Amino acid sequence: ATINARVVINEVLYNAPDDLEDLEYIELHNSADQPVDLSGWTFNKGIKFAFAPGTVIGGNGFLVLCRNRERFQQFYDVPVTGLFNQKLSNKGERLELSDTSGKTVDAVKYEDGRPWPLGADGLSGSLERICPDADGLDASNWVSSPLSADRVKPAGTPGKANANYSTQLPPAISKV
């Protein structure tokens, strides 16, 4: 990995609409220009997953893990890098990505209530990170992807730039 490499948890579909329990995914994003070798990196909180030797995420690239490849491919035409077996909590949980030394590279602790976006809680949206360089634990750095018209067809932007992507985190208004 390069010194300035920044691989982050970029999108999470934790509660798909219409009881599609096994349609869950996590997208990683590399905001650096150089590729990063993820061999031996792991998710050890939320889901258990180890990246296979030779797994590389390209510069400014995306990588998707999902729970059920066939279900995922019914809705998205995006390559899947790997499968995880655990169910993502619909109530919220901490997801943690660690490098080969066990150091936490990025984390998100989402919830299904305010201040976290409600559109991602079964209303067809995914959680989308706004700014890859801002803190993943900050709820104001996450929004729901645009919802589908009928709120039944899953939305989200796996494998590509988030609909709400910004190079800088906009100001957050917490009290009026």
Side-chain angles (χ1 to χ4, degrees):
T2 54
I3 303 297
N4 64 349
R6 180 98 174 105
V7 176
V8 297
I9 301 165
N10 197 54
E11 187 175 357
V12 180
L13 182 69
Y14 69 89
N15 188 359
D18 201 30
D19 297 325
L20 294 168
E21 289 283 324
D22 56 353
L23 179 65
E24 296 178 336
Y25 65 81
I26 298 172
E27 175 196 74
L28 299 183
H29 173 54
N30 174 10
S31 65
D33 291 333
Q34 300 302 311
V36 177
D37 184 352
L38 301 180
S39 303
W41 286 33
T42 58
F43 273 96
N44 49 17
K45 287 224 167 67
I47 63 166
K48 303 281 187 242
F49 182 84
F51 288 90
T55 303
V56 173
I57 184 170
N60 297 303
F62 300 91
L63 181 148
V64 176
L65 306 176
C66 69
R67 201 166 130 212
N68 179 321
R69 185 183 310 266
E70 291 72 29
R71 174 78 72 214
F72 181 85
Q73 289 174 335
Q74 286 177 338
F75 297 98
Y76 308 106
D77 184 22
V78 177
V80 172
T81 299
L83 302 173
F84 55 89
N85 299 322
Q86 299 79 20
K87 181 180 180 335
L88 293 173
S89 171
N90 289 353
K91 298 285 182 222
E93 68 186 315
R94 183 179 177 97
L95 299 172
E96 223 170 78
L97 176 66
S98 301
D99 65 16
T100 51
S101 70
K103 177 180 166 278
T104 300
V105 175
D106 194 43
V108 58
K109 186 177 188 297
Y110 68 88
E111 296 174 18
D112 69 344
R114 295 188 193 291
W116 288 86
L118 304 180
D121 190 24
L123 298 176
S124 79
S126 63
L127 279 179
E128 285 190 344
R129 189 178 190 132
I130 298 170
C131 175
D133 296 326
D135 191 347
L137 294 171
D138 181 355
S140 68
N141 193 23
W142 294 86
V143 291
S144 172
S145 66
L147 306 180
S148 63
D150 63 3
R151 308 286 192 269
V152 175
K153 182 180 188 289
T157 57
K160 58 187 180 201
N162 289 344
N164 296 285
Y165 166 82
S166 176
T167 56
Q168 299 196 325
L169 191 59
I173 299 168
S174 57
K175 288 186 179 167
V176 179

